[in-house]
Amino acid sequence: MRNQKWVQRLALPVVAALGAVMLTTTTAEAVPSKCSTSRVDKDTFTGTCRSGTGTWRLRVDCDKVEPDSFSSWLKPGKTASEGCWWGKARGASIEVR
């Protein structure tokens, strides 16, 4: 009987900890990863995410355009190319969801 109470007291924290680890792992795998951007010329960037799940898009920061220039949402493994119609491209970043 004494051992049974000990097991019951230990079981709840262990189950809670395992649930937290499983939730964290699922969340971490749900976004694209290994993403990068590169400049093609003064006004154009390319971007890609090589792994993960979910979607991503390329955002180009243009000095004379608001809002910035965005690619469509893509799955990992695809490449996007985006540039500025007016002004100069100051930089690029990847947005994930």
Side-chain angles (χ1 to χ4, degrees):
M1 185 75 163
R2 189 174 188 185
N3 286 339
Q4 189 177 15
K5 287 184 179 181
W6 180 81
V7 170
Q8 288 173 344
R9 284 188 205 160
L10 182 61
L12 183 59
V14 169
V15 169
L18 287 173
V21 168
M22 290 170 52
L23 180 61
T24 303
T25 302
T26 303
T27 303
E29 293 174 354
V31 296
S33 59
K34 297 183 182 175
C35 301
S36 62
T37 63
S38 62
R39 186 181 285 271
V40 175
D41 58 35
K42 67 179 183 162
D43 296 323
T44 309
F45 281 86
T46 61
T48 190
C49 290
R50 294 186 302 275
S51 61
T53 59
T55 56
W56 67 274
R57 70 179 177 178
L58 177 64
R59 175 185 180 203
V60 177
D61 177 24
C62 303
D63 68 347
K64 294 184 181 178
V65 178
E66 280 297 324
D68 294 333
S69 184
F70 295 91
S71 71
S72 58
W73 289 99
L74 301 168
K75 297 238 180 234
K78 303 288 184 180
T79 300
S81 180
E82 195 68 27
C84 296
W85 290 94
W86 304 102
K88 296 177 184 173
R90 294 185 287 202
S93 60
I94 301 285
E95 294 182 356
V96 297
R97 65 174 184 183

